[in-house]
Amino acid sequence: MTPMYDLNLLRILVAVVDSGSVTSAAGKLNMSQPTVSQALSRLRDITGDQLFIRDAQRMTPTAHAMRLYNECAAAIVKLEEALRSDTPFNPATDPAHFTIAMSDLGEMTFLPLLIDRLSQVAPHVNLDIVPMDVAEVDTMLKQRRIDFAIGKIASNDPEISSRDLFDETYAAIFRADHPVIQQELTLETFLACGHVVATDASGHWQASSMTTIAGIEQANVQVNLQHFTALPFAVSASDLVAVVPSSTAASFADRWALRWLPLPFEMPEFTVRMLWNSGKTVRAADHDWMIQTISDVLTDLGPYATRLGKT
């Protein structure tokens, strides 16, 4: 007799491949970590394969696990969506789990606003925030390792949908009692001041790239940070100047003793977008609700760019 297998084991396998960890998979499935671990153990016994190899950051699937994933993932998603596609999502009572990729600037600028909204209207929605790797965003979305990506990103993949959130530009940020910068920032002053930049700028323009501005000499970069996380502390404790998106500048100024002004030269605007995977599956009601919620929260940032220099 052909043995009967619990198809839920395959659903759990797909979730672990998508998320890269037992913890994240358990959150997505609304299960406990021991339940997910036990399911993987049962599936290892059935298949005779290790299924996953642990490294410092992720659980990497074996070749056999990827064969199972490729055979089952799309079918499982379609079945799940078919079962719940007509069920409305009630954010006040229904649980949901989303994984969102953001840069560290996004974490500091967008995430507090999103968390505040969710705490008010959707207390049972959980988030996993993962680092933004611009070159890998399409792959991560198509493999369902993330649900959304937000930032200075774009995609030409037909399976990836996007929504423009707001147009943005750059601003100079510095401590409120800066000894040189007054009510206007001139090019001469900008170049004379010391600058702090982020090496991992997630595609954002930095003063270390002054040669990209025609006819303008190199800025005086005194501090290179690996990420933007320490930037407001470095600026608030020194006479250094930093260049960040205007929405981030306004956010930093609200939380630290900082001021911001327009850059003393023309910079092209860019668009902050949200990306998600629209291919092969029917979107669920909770997914659609989250798309609209992110849009509602983050389009409020747009006026920062248009008010730049009018504060």
Side-chain angles (χ1 to χ4, degrees):
M1 179 180 293
T2 303
M4 297 292 292
Y5 296 131
D6 183 356
L7 293 180
N8 198 46
L9 299 179
L10 296 175
R11 176 170 171 259
I12 291 171
L13 171 79
V14 167
V16 176
V17 173
D18 285 341
S19 60
S21 78
V22 169
T23 301
S24 295
K28 281 181 174 290
L29 297 169
N30 293 313
M31 295 178 176
S32 67
Q33 286 182 248
T35 298
V36 172
S37 296
Q38 291 166 13
L40 290 180
S41 178
R42 289 179 58 197
L43 198 53
R44 289 188 184 100
D45 291 339
I46 293 170
T47 63
D49 188 82
Q50 185 178 355
L51 296 179
F52 293 94
I53 301 170
R54 288 186 180 273
D55 59 30
Q57 296 180 330
R58 291 181 59 82
M59 291 181 66
T60 303
T62 64
H64 186 64
M66 283 307 301
R67 283 196 293 272
L68 290 173
Y69 176 87
N70 291 331
E71 290 291 334
C72 300
I76 288 173
V77 171
K78 287 180 179 179
L79 285 171
E80 289 179 344
E81 300 296 352
L83 289 171
R84 62 179 182 172
S85 60
D86 293 328
T87 303
F89 177 69
N90 183 347
T93 59
D94 293 347
H97 185 281
F98 302 101
T99 302
I100 304 176
M102 295 181 182
S103 67
D104 54 346
L105 271 183
E107 291 179 0
M108 292 186 286
T109 308
F110 309 146
L111 187 57
L113 301 174
L114 185 57
I115 290 174
D116 181 59
R117 176 66 63 86
L118 294 178
S119 68
Q120 296 177 43
V121 302
H124 304 290
V125 169
N126 297 324
L127 301 179
D128 277 342
I129 306 300
V130 300
M132 173 80 77
D133 185 339
V134 175
E136 291 294 317
V137 164
D138 283 4
T139 299
M140 294 174 73
L141 286 167
K142 292 172 72 171
Q143 292 180 351
R144 296 173 58 243
R145 288 156 52 193
I146 58 175
D147 297 296
F148 304 101
I150 302 171
K152 185 186 176 184
I153 48 177
S155 175
N156 295 318
D157 193 302
E159 293 184 14
I160 305 300
S161 291
S162 70
R163 180 173 294 184
D164 293 356
L165 298 174
F166 60 94
D167 291 330
E168 179 66 291
T169 188
Y170 292 103
I173 191 163
F174 45 91
R175 65 187 178 97
D177 57 347
H178 196 283
V180 176
I181 304 173
Q182 303 303 318
Q183 298 306 309
E184 182 180 358
L185 179 60
T186 66
L187 178 57
E188 181 182 14
T189 301
F190 181 88
L191 292 173
C193 287
H195 287 260
V196 53
V197 301
T199 303
D200 182 13
S202 302
H204 285 291
W205 187 88
Q206 292 283 270
S208 52
S209 302
M210 286 296 293
T211 53
T212 64
I213 307 299
I216 297 180
E217 63 186 271
Q218 184 67 42
N220 176 24
V221 176
Q222 295 184 356
V223 177
N224 283 277
L225 301 173
Q226 185 62 38
H227 305 289
F228 282 104
T229 311
L231 187 146
F233 300 99
V235 171
S236 64
S238 70
D239 294 336
L240 298 174
V241 175
V243 175
V244 294
S246 61
S247 56
T248 300
S251 176
F252 284 0
D254 287 342
R255 284 180 278 173
W256 286 275
L258 304 176
R259 285 199 300 132
W260 51 283
L261 284 171
L263 296 178
F265 44 82
E266 291 295 325
M267 285 290 295
E269 290 188 348
F270 62 91
T271 300
V272 174
R273 294 185 178 89
M274 168 174 50
L275 304 183
W276 67 90
N277 182 3
S278 59
K280 299 182 181 178
T281 65
V282 178
R283 294 204 308 267
D286 58 352
H287 195 273
D288 288 337
W289 177 87
M290 193 62 176
I291 290 172
Q292 190 57 50
T293 298
I294 292 172
S295 299
D296 291 344
V297 171
L298 297 188
T299 50
D300 290 341
L301 293 181
Y304 281 129
T306 60
R307 291 201 307 267
L308 190 60
K310 299 179 182 179
T311 57

